[in-house]
Amino acid sequence: MPNSPSSSSAQGAPPSNWPGERMGFPRTGVGSVARSGRRLAAILIDFAACYVVYFAFFFGSDWASLVIFAIEQIVLLSTLGSGLGHFVLGIRIVKVDGSYAGLWRPVLRTGLLLLLIPALIWDSDQRGLHDVFAGTVLVMRR
């Protein structure tokens, strides 16, 4: 029955067996989608590093910590493919085809990440809306 609730057209895309399968990423190892625990730990490392810079040089400034975080993300993601936390935990950002993310994608991704809400809504491939809109994915580097 093409119009029954159990048909795949009514449910959308069939479920994947692992995050990134539909995009062609492997289940585990190098190039697999970075899981949520690693991603959370990476952003906490980034926040801690940015706070140290903020506390040392800009303490008391209302927007300095946010600007420091944005600069760190944009510069490191667009040049190295990894923020400090990503680098420490062995993950990197790539386009959904697995290639270099370029400059505008990290800028868009960071801008959306600063809004916080897009980062809290994930798809079945464990990508936040900031990654979905930027066309990026975090994958294992090692």
Side-chain angles (χ1 to χ4, degrees):
M1 265 187 186
N3 291 328
S4 72
S6 62
S7 71
S8 64
S9 63
Q11 296 177 359
S16 58
N17 295 316
W18 65 85
E21 177 187 26
R22 288 179 288 202
M23 295 181 289
F25 292 101
R27 180 186 300 253
T28 59
V30 175
S32 63
V33 172
R35 301 307 194 265
S36 58
R38 192 174 293 255
R39 293 173 61 131
L40 180 60
I43 200 162
L44 291 176
I45 290 170
D46 287 335
F47 286 162
C50 290
Y51 183 77
V52 168
V53 173
Y54 165 76
F55 186 76
F57 300 106
F58 303 100
F59 192 72
S61 175
D62 292 338
W63 293 94
S65 61
L66 198 60
V67 171
I68 293 165
F69 177 76
I71 291 170
E72 183 257 346
Q73 288 290 292
I74 292 169
V75 169
L76 293 180
L77 290 178
S78 61
T79 58
L80 303 176
S82 297
L84 179 63
H86 298 144
F87 185 79
V88 168
L89 294 173
I91 56 182
R92 65 187 170 101
I93 186 176
V94 295
K95 291 188 331 187
V96 293
D97 66 4
S99 64
Y100 169 66
L103 176 63
W104 74 267
R105 291 175 194 279
V107 170
L108 175 61
R109 181 183 187 274
T110 300
L112 292 169
L113 184 59
L114 294 176
L115 297 175
L116 187 62
I117 299 300
L120 298 176
I121 301 170
W122 291 16
D123 68 6
S124 63
D125 290 312
Q126 294 192 359
R127 295 188 313 150
L129 285 182
H130 61 297
D131 279 319
V132 172
F133 291 146
T136 57
V137 61
L138 282 169
V139 297
M140 297 303 299
R141 184 171 42 89
R142 51 186 162 155

